[in-house]
Amino acid sequence: MALLPSKSLVFTVRRQEAELVVPCEPTPHECKPLSDVDDQEGHRFHVRGFHFHQSNLSMKGQDPAKVIKEALAKALVFYYPFAGRLREGPNRKLIVDCTGEGVLFIEADADVSLVDFGDELYPPFPCAEELLYDVPGSNGLLNSPLLLIQVTRLKCGGFIFAHRFNHTMADGTGLSQFMTAIGEIARGALVPSMPPVWERHLLSARDSPLITYKHEEYSHNTSGPENGTIIPTDNLVCCSFLFRQSHISSLRRFVPHNLRCSTFDILSACLWRCRTKALELDPNEDVRLICIVNARFKFKPPLPLGYYGNALGFPMASSSVGKLTQNPLAYALKLVKQAKTKVTEEYMKSTMDLLVTRGRPNVKLVGSYIVSDLTRAKFKEVDFGWGEAVFMGPETCWELISFYIPSKNKKGEDEIIVPVCLPASTMKSFVKELEDMMKDEPTVHADI
């Protein structure tokens, strides 16, 4: 594990006025309800992300902003709901009004080169607010643009593609599918290779709702605050950690020989345990790890290829602080694996029924740590003509969630970047816990 240094790069961004990009051909004007997975409380926000692209001699003389804007207008013909606006109906049901009003697009230039950001690209990024400008009045949930894109040209000929999108419209898989379509069209395709599929009714509650799981991952307390320690937010620091293959191999020393686990499993168990130790909570307090799981292939038959709505499950692992921190890593690892197995077709149907009957609640936030694996998303493969991105991921760190961001070193070996956000004093303890984990001798006993 390597703690990546913070960056203090300063540069100037010159933006042109934001404009609305509309579909280049007429599209249906209709109202399309979102699914009951889409419009839950935990999706009602905007997600911000950056894609860094190098210069490419074969594209010399081409303007990335112009190329992408023209491709966006063509892609919106196929993905026309993105050009609409959200309305809210009875029982907080969200509906896309396909008005064709368009998505926001900003063209900009920065007096900085890609190399100035350093050999490793990772959040938080300097001048992030300038590289993805929040147009005043544009970031509401309802009656606002569902997507904002800013393309910032760099001095070296590379560029930064930044986006802000309404999470109720799509998950990471769906957004990467849309961006792939923009890239294909930018490179000359007439239609996307993967036709988009709306079909949001496939993830809607049953006519006779039947909650068959406890769903402890969702908040059921409507009368007051949740129980648990609230992390102070007045002195938060954001750090990114680099995990090489050698670090993952080091963590595997703690895995019993009869326990098969993925990189996601062991990394999640390690981060959850070290983070909980660093927070120094009451040993009797319960803490949770919420995994974000793509459920597209949990259905029989699977959701159709091209489905770009949210298809996420939020299974939860839970433990007392004492058991999590005093037991070996294998204890946390087994809890993570058990949580992931919860996501089945029935689990997802039960989730939808719960969301509809209980007012579309949020997941439990107090006492929770959320992890999301982006290493299998295809964001990095998006190619607007300049080749694949050298970095893709969130612009900054979030308080309760860590994303696993794919990266490669100069030898072409896979690595994972993990942004973490904690109070400053806690971060020092967290770093020490991770360092100790890397050098500790493993023990095999786990008190489950």
Side-chain angles (χ1 to χ4, degrees), residues 81-93:
F82 272 119
R85 300 292 184 265
L86 279 188
R87 320 294 186 206
E88 189 171 56
N91 301 317
R92 304 184 71 216
K93 186 67 201 169

Side-chain angles (χ1 to χ4, degrees), residues 350-400:
S350 177
T351 297
M352 300 171 221
D353 293 346
L354 176 139
L355 290 168
V356 168
T357 56
R358 298 188 183 171
R360 310 183 196 280
N362 203 351
V363 295
K364 287 181 179 176
L365 298 178
V366 176
S368 295
Y369 178 46
I370 306 171
V371 290
S372 178
D373 186 6
L374 299 181
T375 62
R376 296 186 181 183
K378 297 184 177 180
F379 283 113
K380 229 182 168 185
E381 299 174 14
V382 174
D383 182 0
F384 302 110
W386 281 259
E388 295 182 3
V390 293
F391 171 87
M392 56 65 56
E395 56 146 359
T396 189
C397 310
W398 293 2
E399 178 186 346
L400 297 178

Side-chain angles (χ1 to χ4, degrees), residues 66-100:
K66 181 175 184 294
V67 169
I68 292 171
K69 184 168 71 170
E70 292 178 354
L72 174 62
K74 295 175 181 177
L76 285 172
V77 174
F78 303 95
Y79 288 86
Y80 63 89
F82 272 119
R85 300 292 184 265
L86 279 188
R87 320 294 186 206
E88 189 171 56
N91 301 317
R92 304 184 71 216
K93 186 67 201 169
L94 293 181
I95 299 162
V96 184
D97 188 357
C98 300
T99 60

